Amino acid sequence: METPQNLAELLNADGFKSIPKSFIREILKVTAHSDIISFAGGLPNPAFFPVQEIQAAAMKALEKDGRRLLQYGESEGYRPLREYIAARYKQKHNLEVDPDVILITNGSQQGLDLVSKVFLNKGDRVLMERPAYLGAIQAFSAYNADIRTINLLDDGPDIERLTEILDKQKVKLFYGIPNFQNPTGISYSIEKRKQVAEIMNRFPSLFIEDDPYGDIRFSGENLPPIKSYLNEQTILLGSFSKTISPGMRMGWVVASKEIMQKLLIAKQLTDLHSNNLSQRVIYQYLMDNDFDNHINKINETYKRQCDLMVEAIMEYFPHDVKVTQPQGGMFLWLTLKESQNTMELFKIAIKEKVAFVPGNSFYPKNDCHNTMRLNFSNSDEIKIKQGIKILGNILKRNSS
Amino acid sequence: METPQNLAELLNADGFKSIPKSFIREILKVTAHSDIISFAGGLPNPAFFPVQEIQAAAMKALEKDGRRLLQYGESEGYRPLREYIAARYKQKHNLEVDPDVILITNGSQQGLDLVSKVFLNKGDRVLMERPAYLGAIQAFSAYNADIRTINLLDDGPDIERLTEILDKQKVKLFYGIPNFQNPTGISYSIEKRKQVAEIMNRFPSLFIEDDPYGDIRFSGENLPPIKSYLNEQTILLGSFSKTISPGMRMGWVVASKEIMQKLLIAKQLTDLHSNNLSQRVIYQYLMDNDFDNHINKINETYKRQCDLMVEAIMEYFPHDVKVTQPQGGMFLWLTLKESQNTMELFKIAIKEKVAFVPGNSFYPKNDCHNTMRLNFSNSDEIKIKQGIKILGNILKRNSS
């Protein structure tokens, strides 16, 4: 039985008219159970999921405090976990964060939804990097934001353009991923971080600093978050998805006290509070294990996989293809000749059992056709070589 | 450091101007760690949380499929869990539900948020029961709905009034809780269910059937969901919060195929997918245990607690107080004399170490001052007697 037309017409919330299903998640479905070499997803390497440690942590957490854990919890999140996160900012970045202004969310994606909910009215202007994280484009679009983009250069956003836009237009939020951006792998240099902070500081506008990959640095030195320079004017998002487990959906938001009060209301009416079981299990895991040692192991492997993929690209791809050189994260970004269309290449590649994400999805207006994103975290070294070779041949065949 | 005024002013999303923090969740904080007898919360009795069974299920789920479980999952939710839910509708209500149109959510509260997201534009009319579930008032308000209410009589909504409103005004959604409503404990009679379906069927408007308490029936017979009579025009919400664990935040939405496609996009951009760990653990729990037997044990106790509370009210409260006689759920609803103000009584009661929820919060316009909600699921028999006696004395002292 179909929904009658007059009912289907009710499905007309403004923000939803223009949002397509995530193409990436659709690709994931195609590639999940098949013999395809997939560089498409944004999946961490499951070899590093600490299954046994999580099992032990689950046992312990349920033993120690089972009834409390299975009951409703506080909307803010489990206090000891928030204290751990605060202490880690202090230790890693010498950043003072009060646990009171940390809200535990279902992955950092929910942080974007909650921030949108409390800030955005229809038509409010939001700045994003170009290209930008697809999940954020979708989240802001659902709240009818007017999205503008700023080119992402090799060392961060185009500062001249940022100044120009802020000078001319009222901008509510500027969203960026300063560490190993999705989709490009690009990081902001320390100078760019300072410049962004300095410029933002002159305008009544907030910087949304999304940092899901910060811990996944495999070369170069840790750089301070922009929040270090732009404290109360920054909303900082973090996540355990890339270090412990994405399936447990655990992220957080750090904001000022005033913003946190509103985010908390948004959290209450969205889903009351985050999953207690996962919060307690992750906390117990962090207490009983050497987290940094675990992260180092991930990073050693990711570095090898990243290096290998870059080398293979150098070897097999046409020489006019431009590739980023990330110091961490999970992605490479390729820019082909203007005349290329990666959506067309995708259709060919999928027939030859290799998948990637055509870059077009990462532009809010879908107006760039010659880029692609490659994920290196979730393929072993043999598949990386094989897959890149196949892609290289397709590119060469189609570049004349 | 405070947020500068010019930044605080950005926090002006329309839906958020009028939503107060949940008074109930604030009360919960006050009462959580103290010697207060609390009839305020909406907490299931933790004595029935199957801690050991959940522990065993967690072990097994992680053992069998740990790496997959900890990885990103599908936005729709874990397929076998959705099949279980579909089979249960068939078994319990002879209701045919395709697992494809079930979406797993973070408790049924998230269902409300997602439904609002795909349906509501500013000013869209939403009908609710009077009094109504606070979490739903909040969810719809955040999307700027124009909320109208229909009196809830002893056997369901005032049908005359429903017809009148639908005849005159364009209504997008009608939200109700036909089984053991929160806050009143009232259920729709079978006649009322049919009438609601019949009337709704004449208008292009959807019924949101929220059913978190359906399994918690301790007297009378199971009644068919309104979806049985109004199939594709109903969105049905369910939850494991009252039967297994609220802390694991597991609920679901059943909708038509067209609506599900939109809800799925909303789920993706809200938090990608629901918690895999909890989905797998609950599924494993359901496979390895007698769920109905577990529910029966809960219901036996809740019946005793409910009966005892009603008896104590008869004994200790002034005789002009009207109390509902629920056949399930977790709440009683009291209507006092017009001249009474339960918010004032709350202040006195809390000093005497007894808490309840003043009814005012459950009216979208906060325009009813002589009602209160009492929770019977989360207090033992001694506390129920003690607490009701204290409340009765306060009422008698203040009713002259």
Side-chain angles (χ1 to χ4, degrees):
Chain A
M1 192 178 156
E2 297 284 301
T3 300
Q5 185 56 28
N6 62 347
L7 295 180
E9 277 167 10
L10 299 176
L11 274 166
N12 65 354
D14 291 335
F16 268 73
K17 287 177 193 148
S18 57
I19 301 173
K21 250 185 177 171
S22 164
F23 181 61
I24 297 177
R25 292 188 72 79
E26 295 310 300
I27 294 178
L28 285 184
K29 278 195 206 167
V30 178
T31 59
H33 304 285
S34 73
D35 53 347
I36 285 176
I37 297 177
S38 178
F39 305 134
L43 305 184
N45 193 327
F48 296 102
F49 294 154
V51 178
Q52 277 164 27
E53 292 84 348
I54 291 291
Q55 230 175 355
M59 280 301 89
K60 209 163 162 182
L62 281 158
E63 219 134 83
K64 277 183 7 190
D65 210 10
R67 286 191 204 286
R68 191 110 62 97
L69 183 164
L70 296 178
Q71 188 56 284
Y72 283 111
E74 292 194 357
S75 298
E76 293 87 341
Y78 184 47
R79 176 86 195 181
L81 182 61
R82 292 152 66 214
E83 285 167 359
Y84 175 91
I85 293 165
R88 196 168 159 82
Y89 277 123
K90 176 72 185 163
Q91 173 222 321
K92 192 171 172 189
H93 294 297
N94 199 28
L95 191 64
E96 298 283 351
V97 172
D98 184 342
D100 279 344
V101 296
I102 298 176
L103 171 69
I104 306 291
T105 55
N106 311 327
S108 56
Q109 183 70 32
Q110 191 184 39
L112 294 177
D113 180 62
L114 298 178
V115 166
S116 301
K117 210 171 223 160
V118 303
F119 278 102
L120 296 181
N121 290 312
K122 194 172 178 170
D124 279 349
R125 216 160 277 126
V126 173
L127 287 186
M128 300 186 81
E129 299 153 336
R130 179 183 165 88
Y133 168 54
L134 176 59
I137 297 175
Q138 290 183 312
F140 298 138
S141 299
Y143 292 86
N144 303 294
D146 175 12
I147 296 175
R148 306 295 166 94
T149 57
I150 295 176
N151 278 337
L152 200 52
L153 311 177
D154 288 344
D155 63 345
D158 179 341
I159 293 292
E160 241 173 86
R161 183 75 186 129
L162 174 63
T163 317
E164 197 181 294
I165 291 184
L166 287 170
D167 259 333
K168 267 198 227 150
Q169 304 178 341
K170 214 173 150 173
V171 169
K172 214 165 201 178
L173 309 174
F174 173 20
Y175 168 87
I177 308 179
N179 293 317
F180 329 121
Q181 194 238 18
N182 179 356
T184 62
I186 288 173
S187 298
Y188 296 16
S189 67
I190 188 144
E191 293 73 28
K192 277 279 163 88
R193 286 166 202 248
K194 288 179 189 166
Q195 285 171 344
V196 167
E198 193 190 328
I199 291 156
M200 292 292 294
N201 191 242
R202 287 167 25 211
F203 297 92
S205 177
L206 285 152
F207 187 66
I208 313 298
E209 181 167 25
D210 197 358
D211 191 27
Y213 309 105
D215 278 321
I216 308 298
R217 172 179 283 282
F218 46 69
S219 56
E221 286 195 1
N222 277 329
L223 297 179
I226 288 179
K227 184 171 168 61
S228 304
Y229 309 112
L230 194 67
N231 196 4
E232 300 285 319
Q233 207 175 333
T234 307
I235 296 178
L236 178 56
L237 309 179
S239 171
F240 291 114
S241 288
K242 311 305 185 275
T243 50
I244 301 178
S245 155
M248 291 171 82
R249 312 299 310 120
M250 281 290 126
W252 63 88
V253 183
V254 184
S256 72
K257 232 171 76 187
E258 288 82 355
I259 294 170
M260 192 49 62
Q261 281 168 4
K262 292 279 185 177
L263 289 175
L264 199 55
I265 298 172
K267 177 70 182 168
Q268 284 174 2
L269 60 85
T270 299
D271 59 5
L272 301 185
H273 65 81
S274 292
N275 192 291
N276 282 352
L277 179 61
S278 285
Q279 290 188 78
R280 299 289 188 114
V281 169
I282 282 186
Y283 177 72
Q284 195 63 54
Y285 167 82
L286 291 165
M287 289 301 99
D288 294 346
N289 293 275
D290 185 339
F291 188 38
D292 284 312
N293 183 44
H294 171 69
I295 290 171
N296 289 341
K297 281 186 202 156
I298 296 174
N299 291 347
E300 272 170 35
T301 300
Y302 284 14
K303 178 174 183 3
R304 215 166 40 239
Q305 291 173 184
C306 177
D307 288 350
L308 196 75
M309 191 176 268
V310 171
E311 279 164 31
I313 287 168
M314 299 298 181
E315 186 173 344
Y316 297 114
F317 276 35
H319 292 298
D320 50 14
V321 171
K322 199 189 148 205
V323 57
T324 53
Q325 305 268 356
Q327 299 194 312
M330 317 199 311
F331 305 108
L332 292 181
W333 183 250
L334 275 70
T335 308
L336 314 188
K337 276 195 303 192
E338 274 283 351
S339 58
Q340 294 279 18
N341 184 320
T342 50
M343 192 64 92
E344 295 305 317
L345 292 172
F346 173 80
K347 291 175 194 162
I348 302 167
I350 206 79
K351 282 184 198 151
E352 301 190 23
K353 309 275 188 205
V354 182
F356 61 87
V357 182
N360 205 18
S361 304
F362 303 102
Y363 299 86
K365 291 185 179 147
N366 303 122
D367 55 355
C368 180
H369 301 272
N370 62 327
T371 55
M372 61 165 78
R373 189 188 78 176
L374 295 179
N375 166 267
F376 55 78
S377 59
N378 195 30
S379 302
D380 62 32
E381 307 192 6
I382 294 168
K383 282 192 177 161
I384 288 175
K385 273 209 141 169
Q386 271 185 343
I388 293 296
K389 191 172 174 183
I390 294 168
L391 280 185
N393 285 334
I394 295 170
L395 278 176
K396 282 179 180 163
R397 262 189 280 137
N398 288 274
S399 71
S400 49
Chain B
M1 193 177 153
E2 298 285 301
T3 300
Q5 185 55 28
N6 61 347
L7 295 180
E9 278 167 10
L10 299 176
L11 275 166
N12 65 353
D14 291 336
F16 268 74
K17 287 177 192 148
S18 58
I19 301 173
K21 248 183 175 171
S22 163
F23 182 60
I24 297 177
R25 291 190 71 80
E26 295 310 300
I27 293 178
L28 285 184
K29 278 194 204 167
V30 177
T31 59
H33 305 285
S34 73
D35 51 348
I36 284 176
I37 296 177
S38 178
F39 306 134
L43 304 185
N45 194 328
F48 295 102
F49 295 153
V51 178
Q52 278 164 25
E53 292 84 348
I54 291 291
Q55 230 174 355
M59 280 301 88
K60 208 162 162 183
L62 281 159
E63 220 135 79
K64 275 175 23 182
D65 210 11
R67 286 191 203 287
R68 191 110 62 98
L69 183 165
L70 296 178
Q71 188 58 284
Y72 283 109
E74 291 193 358
S75 297
E76 292 86 342
Y78 184 48
R79 176 88 196 182
L81 182 61
R82 291 152 64 215
E83 285 166 1
Y84 174 92
I85 293 165
R88 197 167 159 82
Y89 277 122
K90 177 72 184 163
Q91 173 221 323
K92 193 171 171 186
H93 295 296
N94 198 27
L95 191 65
E96 298 283 352
V97 173
D98 184 342
D100 279 344
V101 296
I102 298 177
L103 171 70
I104 305 291
T105 55
N106 311 326
S108 55
Q109 183 71 33
Q110 191 184 38
L112 295 176
D113 181 61
L114 298 178
V115 166
S116 301
K117 211 171 223 161
V118 303
F119 277 103
L120 296 181
N121 290 311
K122 193 171 178 170
D124 278 350
R125 217 161 277 126
V126 173
L127 287 186
M128 300 186 79
E129 299 153 335
R130 178 182 165 89
Y133 168 53
L134 176 59
I137 297 175
Q138 291 183 314
F140 298 138
S141 299
Y143 291 86
N144 303 295
D146 175 13
I147 296 175
R148 305 295 165 94
T149 57
I150 294 176
N151 278 337
L152 199 53
L153 311 177
D154 288 345
D155 63 345
D158 179 342
I159 293 291
E160 242 174 85
R161 183 76 185 127
L162 174 62
T163 317
E164 195 183 296
I165 292 185
L166 287 170
D167 261 333
K168 263 197 230 152
Q169 305 177 343
K170 210 172 153 174
V171 168
K172 212 164 202 178
L173 310 174
F174 173 20
Y175 169 86
I177 308 179
N179 293 317
F180 330 120
Q181 193 236 20
N182 179 356
T184 62
I186 288 173
S187 297
Y188 296 14
S189 67
I190 188 143
E191 293 74 27
K192 276 279 163 90
R193 286 167 201 246
K194 288 178 189 165
Q195 284 172 344
V196 166
E198 193 190 328
I199 291 157
M200 291 292 295
N201 190 242
R202 287 167 26 211
F203 298 91
S205 177
L206 285 152
F207 187 66
I208 313 298
E209 180 167 26
D210 197 359
D211 190 29
Y213 309 106
D215 278 320
I216 308 298
R217 171 179 285 281
F218 45 70
S219 54
E221 286 195 358
N222 277 329
L223 297 179
I226 288 180
K227 184 172 168 61
S228 304
Y229 309 112
L230 194 68
N231 197 3
E232 299 285 318
Q233 206 175 335
T234 308
I235 296 178
L236 177 57
L237 308 180
S239 172
F240 291 113
S241 288
K242 311 305 186 275
T243 50
I244 301 179
S245 154
M248 290 171 82
R249 313 297 311 115
M250 280 291 124
W252 63 88
V253 183
V254 184
S256 73
K257 231 170 76 185
E258 289 82 356
I259 294 171
M260 192 50 61
Q261 281 168 3
K262 292 279 186 177
L263 288 174
L264 199 55
I265 298 173
K267 177 69 182 170
Q268 284 175 2
L269 61 85
T270 297
D271 59 5
L272 302 184
H273 66 80
S274 291
N275 191 293
N276 283 351
L277 179 61
S278 285
Q279 290 188 81
R280 298 290 188 115
V281 169
I282 281 186
Y283 176 72
Q284 195 63 54
Y285 167 83
L286 291 165
M287 289 302 99
D288 294 346
N289 294 275
D290 184 340
F291 189 37
D292 284 312
N293 184 44
H294 171 69
I295 290 171
N296 289 341
K297 281 187 201 156
I298 296 174
N299 290 347
E300 273 170 35
T301 300
Y302 283 13
K303 179 175 181 6
R304 216 165 43 239
Q305 290 173 182
C306 177
D307 288 350
L308 196 76
M309 191 176 268
V310 171
E311 280 163 29
I313 286 168
M314 299 299 180
E315 184 173 347
Y316 297 115
F317 276 36
H319 292 297
D320 50 13
V321 170
K322 198 189 149 206
V323 57
T324 53
Q325 306 267 356
Q327 299 193 313
M330 317 200 309
F331 304 108
L332 292 181
W333 183 251
L334 276 70
T335 308
L336 315 188
K337 278 195 303 193
E338 274 283 350
S339 59
Q340 293 279 19
N341 184 320
T342 50
M343 192 63 92
E344 295 305 317
L345 291 172
F346 173 79
K347 291 175 194 162
I348 300 168
I350 205 80
K351 281 184 198 149
E352 300 190 23
K353 310 273 187 206
V354 182
F356 60 86
V357 182
N360 205 21
S361 305
F362 303 102
Y363 298 86
K365 289 185 179 149
N366 303 121
D367 54 356
C368 181
H369 301 274
N370 61 326
T371 55
M372 61 166 79
R373 189 188 77 176
L374 295 180
N375 166 266
F376 55 77
S377 60
N378 195 29
S379 301
D380 62 32
E381 307 193 6
I382 294 170
K383 281 194 177 159
I384 288 174
K385 273 209 142 169
Q386 272 184 346
I388 294 296
K389 191 171 175 185
I390 293 168
L391 279 185
N393 285 334
I394 293 171
L395 278 177
K396 283 178 180 164
R397 261 189 281 137
N398 288 273
S399 71
S400 50

